[in-house]
């Protein structure tokens, strides 16, 4: 991995190596005495300790009749061009008289790759990081893990001129992980994970903030209980994860999911309390319940779901009695019915066809009756309307005549 600032990567590796040598006390050797390491695909040279430069030397490989193809002896040393994993093994050199001069074990592999690193904080005071190698090297590997606080106060800069570099402590019982204790929730950190093997080293720098990587452990002590005389209710309670400090300034909120065991879809409820009452459970059906947690201010991620807890709501007494009565009545009716012996007579399908024909005929007849009634109604309405218009016209004529008769004559006017 190349650092964006020239020389920063080398400085970080140097600080990491110095810190690791001081705190981890890593031994210098990579294995037992007499072991030599080589890189796959390169030329490997095996020296013969104790041999004289002018004396002839004979090389042998344990468990093989011949040396690897292309190998050669030069000035007493065995040269293996383009070594492969199959070239590894135990080699020995012998003098002119066949006497053993030196034996060594050759192990071949690859340079380290840049490790994959992820970090998580289960509380706001510590964070842990885990890593995996990106390359299978086939060689013994060690890791140097350090961190540096990115934003320092003036007092911190005066107390620590190296930029507050410290070890990310590795736990032998948990390989591939390290922990930083005493971290600050509002601070940013740069983590350095360096992978080292006998052929070289590779590192990854990871910038993290506590708010982004906070992920609580799942809540504990989940208990689900039915509520007496409440057929559709379940009481659910739980506790804070033991890894989360009991401080009033850093609270958690919770997410509850539940479903009947015969259903696949979950119902989800969010709450800030340590208990909740499910009000829409199915009476008489067993339910599965889980709970998860997240920082109260929505920082980071939800925790994993807790272990499942199960409970069955009580059954409604009235419903249960009704169901039992129905079942008893069904059983009694079945007991009273005669046995269904086979009928030797052939089944007559004509009855159903006759019934269908009768229904169709009645439907057609009803349609024609309704149509006739409708037509008659329309004719009567038209006739009444025409008659009413005929009576209106003479009435208007008489009114006009009366009006003219009432007007004064010419003699009366004169």
């Amino acid at each position: 991995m190349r650092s964006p600032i020239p020389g920063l990567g080398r400085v970080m590796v140097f600080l990491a190596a110095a810190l690791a040598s001081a705190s981890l006390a890593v031994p210098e050797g990579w294995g037992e005495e007499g072991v030599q390491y080589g890189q796959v695909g390169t030329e490997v040279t095996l020296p013969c300790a104790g041999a004289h430069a002018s004396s002839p030397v004979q090389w042998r490989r344990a468990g093989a009749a011949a040396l690897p193809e292309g190998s050669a002896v030069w000035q007493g040393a065995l040269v293996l061009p383009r070594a492969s994993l199959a070239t590894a093994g135990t080699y020995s050199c012998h003098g002119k008289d066949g006497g053993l001069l030196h034996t060594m074990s050759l192990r071949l592999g690859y340079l380290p790759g840049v490790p994959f690193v992820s970090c998580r904080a289960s509380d706001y005071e510590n964070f842990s990081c885990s890593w995996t190698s990106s390359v299978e090297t086939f060689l013994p590997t060690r890791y140097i893990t350090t961190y540096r606080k990115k934003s320092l106060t003036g007092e911190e800069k005066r107390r620590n001129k190296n930029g507050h570099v410290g070890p990310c402590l590795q736990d032998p019982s948990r390989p591939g992980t390290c922990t930083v204790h005493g971290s600050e929730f509002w601070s940013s950190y740069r983590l350095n994970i360096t992978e080292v093997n006998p052929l070289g080293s590779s590192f990854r720098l990871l910038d993290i903030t506590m708010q982004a990587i906070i992920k609580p452990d799942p809540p504990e002590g989940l208990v689900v209980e039915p509520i007496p005389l409440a057929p559709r209710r379940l009481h659910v309670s739980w506790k804070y994860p033991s890894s989360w400090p009991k401080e009033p300034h850093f609270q958690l909120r919770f997410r509850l999911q539940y479903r009947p065991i015969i259903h696949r879809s979950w119902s989800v409820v969010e709450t800030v309390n340590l208990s909740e009452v499910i009000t829409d459970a199915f009476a008489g059906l067993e339910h599965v319940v889980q709970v998860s947690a997240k920082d109260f201010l929505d920082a980071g991620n939800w925790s994993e779901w807790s272990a499942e807890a199960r409970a069955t709501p009580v059954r409604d007494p009235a419903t249960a009695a009704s169901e039992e009565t129905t079942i008893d009545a069904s059983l009694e009716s079945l007991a009273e019915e005669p046995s269904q012996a086979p009928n030797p007579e052939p089944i007559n399908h004509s009855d159903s066809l006759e019934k269908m024909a009768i229904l169709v005929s009645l439907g057609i007849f009803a349609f024609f009756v309704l149509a006739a009634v409708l037509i008659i109604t329309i004719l009567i309405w038209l006739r009444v309307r025409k008659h009413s218009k005929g009576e209106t016209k003479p009435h208007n004529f008489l009114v006009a005549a009366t009006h003219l008769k009432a007007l004064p004559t010419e003699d009366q006017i004169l």
Side-chain angles (χ1 to χ4, degrees):
M1 174 179 179
R2 294 183 178 272
S3 172
I5 303 176
L8 177 59
R10 291 192 294 273
V11 171
M12 292 299 297
V13 173
F14 173 79
L15 291 174
L19 183 62
S21 62
S23 60
L24 302 179
V26 178
E28 294 293 331
W30 281 96
E32 298 178 0
E33 186 178 356
V35 178
Q36 181 171 331
Y37 299 93
Q39 183 176 351
V40 172
T42 64
E43 183 179 279
V44 177
T45 301
L46 303 179
C48 181
H52 298 286
S54 58
S55 301
V57 173
Q58 181 183 8
W59 281 89
R60 301 173 186 173
R61 183 184 182 186
L67 294 173
E69 184 179 358
S71 59
V73 178
W74 185 74
Q75 294 184 354
L78 178 64
V79 179
L80 303 171
R82 298 180 300 278
S84 65
L85 290 174
T87 310
T90 301
Y91 293 81
S92 59
C93 60
H94 302 262
K96 184 178 181 180
D97 57 354
L100 178 63
L101 299 177
H102 183 63
T103 302
M104 68 174 55
S105 178
L106 175 62
R107 296 190 61 180
L108 297 170
Y110 299 92
L111 286 166
V114 178
F116 299 111
V117 183
S118 62
C119 297
R120 169 180 172 254
S122 59
D123 58 68
Y124 54 86
E125 295 178 338
N126 313 280
F127 68 88
S128 299
C129 297
S130 59
W131 60 86
T132 56
S133 178
S134 60
V135 176
E136 187 176 4
T137 63
F138 301 99
L139 297 175
T141 303
R142 298 173 185 150
Y143 292 90
I144 302 171
T145 54
T146 59
Y147 77 95
R148 178 175 64 86
K149 187 177 178 182
K150 294 183 66 176
S151 54
L152 299 177
T153 63
E155 184 180 353
E156 288 175 332
K157 290 179 180 179
R158 288 191 297 270
R159 285 191 285 106
N160 195 336
K161 295 182 180 180
N162 292 331
H164 195 70
V165 177
C168 185
L169 300 177
Q170 300 183 42
D171 185 355
S173 64
R174 298 173 58 200
T177 62
C178 68
T179 303
V180 174
H181 298 285
S183 56
E184 298 175 359
F185 188 76
W186 305 108
S187 298
S188 300
Y189 297 88
R190 170 164 290 177
L191 189 76
N192 183 351
I193 305 294
T194 302
E195 181 177 333
V196 184
N197 73 9
L199 303 180
S201 64
S202 183
F203 68 94
R204 180 180 294 277
L205 299 178
L206 183 65
D207 291 335
I208 59 175
T209 57
M210 291 291 290
Q211 304 98 299
I213 64 172
I214 192 76
K215 182 180 180 180
D217 289 329
E220 302 172 358
L222 178 62
V223 177
V224 185
E225 298 174 319
I227 300 177
L229 304 178
R232 301 202 63 188
R233 295 175 182 264
L234 289 172
H235 182 266
V236 187
S237 61
W238 58 89
K239 299 178 182 178
Y240 266 62
S242 57
S243 59
W244 190 268
K246 306 299 187 297
E247 294 291 341
H249 305 294
F250 293 92
Q251 299 292 320
L252 294 175
R253 59 191 181 98
F254 303 95
R255 181 175 57 176
L256 184 72
Q257 71 173 12
Y258 59 94
R259 64 176 176 85
I261 57 173
I262 62 174
H263 293 176
R264 293 185 178 181
S265 59
W266 295 88
S267 298
V268 181
V269 176
E270 291 192 16
T271 180
V272 297
N273 303 317
L274 290 174
S275 64
E276 189 70 25
V277 174
I278 298 174
T279 60
D280 57 352
F282 291 87
L285 290 181
E286 186 179 27
H287 286 64
V288 180
V289 181
Q290 291 179 296
V291 65
S292 65
K294 190 178 184 181
D295 176 73
F296 182 80
L297 298 178
D298 205 32
N301 303 291
W302 284 99
S303 73
E304 301 296 331
W305 289 105
S306 67
E308 291 182 354
R310 299 189 177 193
T312 303
V314 297
R315 301 183 68 182
D316 187 356
T319 304
S322 176
E323 291 178 356
E324 291 177 359
T325 303
T326 304
I327 293 173
D328 293 341
S330 300
L331 293 176
E332 290 177 0
S333 63
L334 289 174
E336 293 175 356
E337 289 180 359
S339 60
Q340 300 294 328
N343 188 0
E345 297 181 359
I347 299 175
N348 188 3
H349 295 280
S350 61
D351 294 341
S352 58
L353 295 177
E354 291 177 358
K355 292 179 179 179
M356 181 62 68
I358 292 172
L359 290 175
V360 172
S361 301
L362 290 175
I364 296 173
F365 176 77
F367 172 77
F368 282 110
V369 170
L370 290 175
V373 171
L374 181 61
I375 293 172
I376 293 171
T377 303
I378 294 174
L379 292 175
I380 293 173
W381 177 77
L382 291 174
R383 185 164 182 168
V384 171
R385 184 178 179 186
K386 184 177 180 181
H387 181 70
S388 62
K389 287 183 177 181
E391 291 179 351
T392 305
K393 289 181 179 180
H395 174 73
N396 294 336
F397 175 77
L398 292 175
V399 171
T402 304
H403 180 68
L404 292 175
K405 186 178 181 180
L407 291 175
T409 62
E410 183 176 355
D411 297 334
Q412 291 177 347
I413 294 175
L414 295 175

